[in-house]
Amino acid sequence: YMKKRSSSSGRNDGVDTNNNAEPDFLWFGTTERMKESTCLFYHTLQVRPLKRIPKARVMDCPTTSWWTEEHREEVKRREPADYAVWRTANAILDARVIKMREDIRRTL
């Protein structure tokens, strides 16, 4: 899930004329962790979840839980950049989910 952000100059084309280091997109999750990603999406945007999530454009993506260590090593060897992005995305998701849970606990 990604949400386009306006630049600090008020432009909506992603061009930041003030040279801020802030990214043009907010990242919310990964396909392998769709439930956590969706919860984080709703929490971050402060909107109520839909009663029924639209599935017209949703593809069934098999999880990587069946992967052996040998499979992971093969991906690392063949696609090191993709693997690095995937690991980074999961680390960011872990940190944001922890913060979301702390936010929710504080409001209870």
Side-chain angles (χ1 to χ4, degrees), residues 63-78:
T63 65
T64 57
S65 61
W66 56 269
W67 283 22
T68 64
E69 198 54 41
E70 192 175 300
H71 292 127
R72 286 189 201 288
E73 291 304 317
E74 183 72 13
V75 170
K76 287 183 207 177
R77 188 179 63 73
R78 288 186 181 194

Side-chain angles (χ1 to χ4, degrees), residues 10 20 23 30-31 34 40 56 68 72 75 92-94 98 104:
N20 289 338
T30 65
T31 16
M34 187 57 71
L40 181 60
T68 64
R72 286 189 201 288
V75 170
I92 292 168
L93 182 58
D94 287 340
I98 289 167
I104 292 169

